[in-house]
């Protein structure tokens, strides 16, 4: 059949490479394969090429899934501090941007080099441009045929190919299909951390705002995030919208406070009492960008001087700013989604080792598992932690 090895890891992304390092350092004979031509492609493009490699606040509170607490064990045993220590030891300079998000000062390629260097030192074999064509149980282990025609027999098989997000980089549902073939349950998957889209009528209305960004509090699906909101030619994007997209479902509305530090009604009332000669849109333009102020007044059907407005009109304007409720029709899908929500069900796995409970030797890690983090380095930390956990036992 071919080579006999201890561990085959399919997917040379963040989780897969982390697992390979740990298993290799334990003296295991490890092969890691990826159908891409380079390892860590998602690492390379993340954070605008600087890799938002973890978050100081990483923890199960920032995870979604059927049972987000499943992530607790791995996140505690290999925490953000542990990964930061490795980055520091490699001499990689980094900085905190906002909300605990850590980025490389230089290129994301430094993180890839750290992992590939450690894999090489641990004797891990890395084969690129190679996928898996067939997997079968053989005794206590697995027999695997690779796309280059070769085959391997292994004691442990690690599914680390991620989810369906960013298909142009080769993302597929392979991990889900393989898990199902071994009898594991897979929860419903959907794009997450993704821009939301509007129907044609609303798009026409908001066309004038395309490219405008504001600080906003966006709420929906029981969650609330304060970060930037961006109007696009398809709908809404920006960090606050990407965050809420993980909680939003079709048919539901989201609410955005487009001036979270201002009580717009009180501010307009005060401006009215101070003389009231200003146009409503001009007064509002001191609180939100002028383009947005003009759009809101036009949409609310309020024009003219402040002094001529009844409180009801000012309240309508204020509500359009402080509690703009809108119903997206969909998202931009896996094409632009940063991650996949859902995946291999956590009740099928041991939370300490990431090993399948019913299939000894089969491990599932990273984005392929039904654990999804918030935007801001949380998904990378789950990759490091889950990869580390599996690497201790595979």
């Amino acid at each position: 059949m071919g080579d006999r090895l201890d561990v085959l890891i399919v997917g040379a992304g963040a989780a897969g490479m982390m697992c390979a390092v740990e298993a290799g350092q334990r003296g295991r004979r490890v092969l890691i394969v990826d159908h891409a031509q380079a390892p860590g492609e998602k690492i390379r493009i993340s954070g605008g090429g600087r890799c938002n490699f973890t978050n100081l606040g990483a923890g199960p509170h920032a995870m979604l899934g059927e049972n987000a607490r499943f992530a607790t064990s791995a996140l505690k045993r290999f925490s953000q501090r542990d990964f930061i220590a490795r980055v520091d030891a490699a001499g990689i300079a980094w900085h905190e941007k906002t909300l605990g998000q850590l980025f490389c000062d230089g290129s994301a390629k430094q993180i890839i080099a750290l992992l590939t260097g450690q894999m090489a030192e641990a004797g891990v074999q890395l084969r690129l441009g190679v996928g898996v064509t067939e997997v079968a149980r053989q005794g206590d282990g697995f027999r695997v045929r690779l796309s280059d025609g070769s085959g391997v027999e292994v004691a442990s098989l690690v599914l680390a190919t991620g989810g369906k997000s960013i298909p142009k980089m080769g993302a597929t549902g392979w991990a889900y299909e393989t898990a199902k073939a071994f009898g594991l349950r897979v929860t419903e998957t959907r794009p997450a951390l993704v821009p939301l889209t509007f129907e044609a009528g609303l798009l026409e209305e908001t066309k004038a705002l395309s490219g405008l960004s504001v600080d906003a509090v966006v709420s929906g699906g029981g969650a609330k995030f304060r970060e930037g909101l961006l109007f696009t030619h398809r709908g809404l994007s920006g960090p606050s919208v990407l965050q809420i997209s993980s909680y939003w479902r079709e048919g539901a509305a989201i609410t955005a406070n487009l001036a979270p530090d201002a009580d717009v009604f009180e501010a307009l009332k005060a401006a009215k009492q101070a003389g009231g000669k200003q146009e409503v849109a001009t007064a509002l333009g001191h609180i939100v960008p002028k383009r947005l102020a003009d759009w809101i007044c036009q949409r609310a059907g309020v024009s003219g001087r402040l002094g001529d407005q009844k409180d009801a009109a000012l309240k309508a304007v204020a509500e359009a700013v402080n509690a703009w409720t809108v119903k997206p029709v969909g998202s931009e899908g896996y094409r632009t989604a940063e991650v996949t929500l859902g995946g291999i069900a956590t009740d099928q796995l041991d939370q300490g080792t990431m090993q399948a409970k019913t299939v000894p030797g089969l491990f599932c890690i990273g984005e392929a598992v039904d654990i999804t983090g918030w935007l801001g380095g949380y998904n990378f930390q789950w990759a490091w932690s889950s990869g580390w956990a599996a690497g201790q036992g595979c």
Side-chain angles (χ1 to χ4, degrees):
M1 170 67 195
D3 295 344
R4 279 180 179 272
L5 296 164
D6 296 317
V7 186
L8 172 65
I9 300 168
V10 187
M17 288 196 284
M18 188 67 171
C19 181
V21 168
E22 294 303 310
Q25 286 177 349
R26 288 176 47 238
R28 304 287 277 164
R29 290 168 301 161
V30 182
L31 169 64
I32 182 168
V33 299
D34 199 300
H35 62 189
Q37 297 303 315
E41 281 292 84
K42 257 193 162 179
I43 299 174
R44 183 181 61 79
I45 65 162
S46 71
R50 290 185 185 272
C51 188
N52 180 190
F53 57 83
T54 192
N55 193 294
L56 293 174
H61 70 282
M63 301 292 166
L64 292 84
E66 254 181 7
N67 174 21
R69 304 293 307 170
F70 174 87
T72 305
S73 174
L75 290 170
K76 274 190 174 165
R77 285 159 56 231
F78 189 84
S79 72
Q80 54 272 40
R81 305 281 169 200
D82 295 315
F83 192 74
I84 292 165
R86 295 197 181 189
V87 171
D88 287 342
I92 299 170
W94 54 270
H95 60 278
E96 181 184 351
K97 209 167 179 182
T98 54
L99 303 170
Q101 301 168 15
L102 303 191
F103 289 78
C104 298
D105 286 358
S107 167
K109 291 176 182 174
Q110 293 174 289
I111 300 291
I112 300 171
L114 163 64
L115 293 161
T116 53
Q118 289 186 336
M119 287 197 305
E121 282 170 24
V124 173
Q125 294 178 52
L126 169 63
R127 286 167 70 183
L128 298 166
V130 175
V132 171
T133 56
E134 192 186 329
V135 179
R137 198 75 164 128
Q138 180 170 287
D140 292 339
F142 304 88
R143 189 177 71 251
V144 183
R145 187 155 298 282
L146 303 174
S147 60
D148 61 1
S150 68
V152 289
E153 292 178 9
V154 292
S156 297
L157 174 66
V158 184
L159 309 185
T161 55
K164 300 176 187 174
S165 53
I166 323 185
K168 71 176 181 193
M169 291 179 60
T172 69
W174 183 84
Y176 310 140
E177 292 153 23
T178 305
K180 281 180 187 169
F182 281 107
L184 272 55
R185 186 170 66 87
V186 175
T187 69
E188 182 197 351
T189 55
R190 55 183 288 125
L193 300 183
V194 64
L196 298 176
T197 55
F198 292 163
E199 49 85 15
L202 184 55
L203 260 191
E204 189 56 38
E205 276 185 55
T206 57
K207 192 164 71 172
L209 299 176
S210 185
L212 182 72
S213 179
V214 293
D215 178 35
V217 173
V218 180
S219 53
K224 184 186 286 190
F225 294 93
R226 179 173 181 168
E227 286 186 75
L229 175 148
L230 174 70
F231 291 89
T232 73
H233 62 289
R234 290 193 181 95
L236 293 175
S237 188
S240 61
V241 172
L242 298 185
Q243 294 279 37
I244 220 69
S245 72
S246 297
Y247 296 84
W248 174 82
R249 294 296 179 270
E250 287 73 6
I254 60 171
T255 300
N257 183 346
L258 303 172
D261 292 325
D263 181 326
V264 173
F265 177 59
E266 290 301 326
L268 293 179
K269 224 165 55 163
K272 178 182 173 180
Q273 285 161 0
K277 290 182 180 176
Q278 280 187 95
E279 294 281 314
V280 180
T282 304
L284 187 59
H286 294 308
I287 303 168
V288 297
K290 185 179 184 308
R291 229 193 320 164
L292 183 57
D294 290 343
W295 179 78
I296 283 167
C297 289
Q298 191 181 343
R299 201 158 180 261
V302 176
S303 61
R305 299 189 316 171
L306 273 172
D308 300 331
Q309 309 300 325
K310 290 191 166 66
D311 276 4
L314 298 184
K315 271 185 176 154
V317 169
E319 190 164 314
V321 179
N322 287 142
W324 179 47
T325 298
V326 63
K327 195 180 277 190
V329 289
S331 78
E332 289 190 11
Y334 289 117
R335 185 180 63 82
T336 56
E338 296 205 10
V339 289
T340 304
L341 196 65
I344 299 164
T346 52
D347 65 1
Q348 310 287 289
L349 307 174
D350 180 290
Q351 66 173 357
T353 63
M354 310 303 296
Q355 185 170 206
K357 292 174 178 175
T358 54
V359 190
L362 181 66
F363 295 77
C364 309
I365 58 176
E367 194 186 338
V369 177
D370 178 24
I371 292 288
T372 305
W374 290 348
L375 183 73
Y378 297 97
N379 287 293
F380 271 128
Q381 187 55 48
W382 169 242
W384 312 135
S385 298
S386 60
W388 180 91
Q392 309 311 307
C394 67

